[in-house]
Amino acid sequence: MALTKETTISLVSKFGVNEKDTGNTKVQVALLTERIKQLTDHCKTFKKDKCASRSLLKLVGQRRSLLKYLQRKDLELYRSLIKELGLRK
């Protein structure tokens, strides 16, 4: 259920400066968002899987923390990332 290598490479190349830029906040948020989408679909299918539900909540909290950090440091980058990932309507 983890992200495939191809998905990870494509997200890192899209949001990072280069293909090895996995520590960038934008890349981390994009990877977490993709993982959250996968876990959301899983939890909709398997409603009694409490471990997956807890993992989903942990990932959402991590993403929220990274987005708060990005909002404090660079507001324009935060807004463009939110729009690009489609997180808020």
Side-chain angles (χ1 to χ4, degrees):
M1 233 165 74
L3 293 176
T4 62
K5 192 169 188 174
E6 295 81 22
T7 307
T8 304
I9 290 171
S10 67
L11 286 173
V12 169
S13 63
K14 182 177 178 182
F15 291 100
V17 178
N18 57 30
E19 62 274 353
K20 295 188 179 191
D21 189 20
T22 56
N24 193 341
T25 308
K26 284 177 59 173
V27 175
Q28 290 182 23
V29 170
L31 290 172
L32 283 172
T33 301
E34 189 63 33
R35 182 79 173 113
I36 286 170
K37 286 178 186 175
Q38 285 182 353
L39 268 176
T40 302
D41 293 339
H42 176 82
C43 287
K44 285 180 183 176
T45 306
F46 303 100
K47 295 185 186 324
K48 293 189 176 185
D49 189 356
K50 299 303 177 189
C51 293
S53 300
R54 184 174 187 279
S55 298
L56 178 62
L57 289 176
K58 282 182 70 171
L59 290 177
V60 170
Q62 286 178 355
R63 183 178 69 181
R64 186 183 323 130
S65 297
L66 286 171
L67 285 172
K68 279 184 182 179
Y69 167 77
L70 196 58
Q71 187 178 18
R72 280 194 321 264
K73 293 297 179 183
D74 191 356
L75 188 60
E76 289 303 315
L77 182 64
Y78 166 79
R79 288 180 179 159
S80 67
L81 183 65
I82 291 295
K83 185 179 247 185
E84 195 169 352
L85 290 175
L87 293 180
R88 294 187 178 84
K89 306 294 183 218

